[in-house]
Amino acid sequence: MKLSLWIKQIFKGVFDSLATVLKNPVNIIIGLINGLVEGVAEGINAVISSLNKINIKVPDRVPKYGGKSFGFDLKKVSAPKIPYLASGAVIPPNAPFMAMSGDQHNGTNLESPERLIRKIVREDSGRNQQNGGTTVLKLHLDGKQIAETVVKQGKLEQMASGRNMFALG
């Protein structure tokens, strides 16, 4: 093994170990900061709610402004969040990079070693030993399972006409 490659691997191992050791305390600090910012935002929103309740009606006898109402219509603030350090990512070998995780609006991020994702997909797609490698695919349209509806309609058609609508040729 080349000396430069050996040194690179040592530094990578040290860096990975440091990252693992530092990640949890950094995430705790991030959580505390997020909590503090959220608390400040809640306090500001309480003040905004109180101000929005103020409504002053000017008596009719006051020239130019008589009969009008004045008040506040302030929008509430939302607390920005610092993202936590990720627990994993799809990282090509020897190609470090930074990424933000959890920024999607729905669904779930999955960061894991590729071999684990492949194993999960294999098991969930039915390509495991338990069901002989068959895949069950259920398609739904307007809340009804399509294949089930088609088969049921085919049986009704066959009973009525004596002809199997699925027969080829």
Side-chain angles (χ1 to χ4, degrees), residues 46-74:
V47 171
I48 289 173
S49 292
S50 297
L51 288 173
N52 284 341
K53 290 178 185 175
I54 294 174
N55 188 16
I56 301 168
K57 185 173 183 200
V58 179
D60 291 334
R61 64 182 179 272
V62 176
K64 193 175 179 181
Y65 297 105
K68 294 185 179 179
S69 294
F70 296 95
F72 292 94
D73 185 21
L74 303 172

Side-chain angles (χ1 to χ4, degrees), residues 23-36 38 81-88 99-103 109 111:
K23 183 174 52 179
N24 288 339
V26 169
N27 278 341
I28 290 170
I29 292 169
I30 289 171
L32 291 172
I33 292 170
N34 282 342
L36 180 65
E38 190 173 321
K81 296 226 182 240
I82 300 171
Y84 290 98
L85 299 179
S87 301
M100 178 187 292
S101 185
D103 57 344
N109 274 351
E111 292 89 17

Side-chain angles (χ1 to χ4, degrees), residues 86-103:
S87 301
V90 178
I91 303 170
N94 299 317
F97 71 98
M98 265 179 26
M100 178 187 292
S101 185
D103 57 344

Side-chain angles (χ1 to χ4, degrees), residues 3-154:
L3 181 61
S4 61
L5 183 59
W6 183 73
I7 292 172
K8 185 177 177 182
Q9 286 179 338
I10 288 176
F11 276 106
K12 183 181 180 325
V14 169
F15 179 76
D16 289 348
S17 298
L18 262 174
T20 302
V21 168
L22 293 176
K23 183 174 52 179
N24 288 339
V26 169
N27 278 341
I28 290 170
I29 292 169
I30 289 171
L32 291 172
I33 292 170
N34 282 342
L36 180 65
V37 171
E38 190 173 321
V40 170
E42 287 176 9
I44 292 170
N45 285 333
V47 171
I48 289 173
S49 292
S50 297
L51 288 173
N52 284 341
K53 290 178 185 175
I54 294 174
N55 188 16
I56 301 168
K57 185 173 183 200
V58 179
D60 291 334
R61 64 182 179 272
V62 176
K64 193 175 179 181
Y65 297 105
K68 294 185 179 179
S69 294
F70 296 95
F72 292 94
D73 185 21
L74 303 172
K75 304 291 181 227
K76 291 188 174 183
V77 298
S78 60
K81 296 226 182 240
I82 300 171
Y84 290 98
L85 299 179
S87 301
V90 178
I91 303 170
N94 299 317
F97 71 98
M98 265 179 26
M100 178 187 292
S101 185
D103 57 344
Q104 78 283 354
H105 296 289
N106 53 35
T108 303
N109 274 351
L110 178 61
E111 292 89 17
S112 180
E114 181 184 6
R115 69 183 177 285
L116 178 59
I117 293 174
R118 288 184 183 280
K119 179 180 178 226
I120 292 168
V121 169
R122 232 184 355 264
E123 289 172 0
D124 283 352
S125 66
R127 289 174 49 202
N128 58 12
Q129 301 296 50
Q130 292 175 343
N131 62 7
T134 60
T135 300
V136 176
L137 178 64
K138 295 181 181 181
L139 300 175
H140 292 267
L141 179 66
D142 293 334
K144 294 187 178 184
Q145 194 170 325
I146 294 172
E148 184 178 299
T149 304
V150 170
V151 169
K152 188 183 297 181
Q153 189 62 37

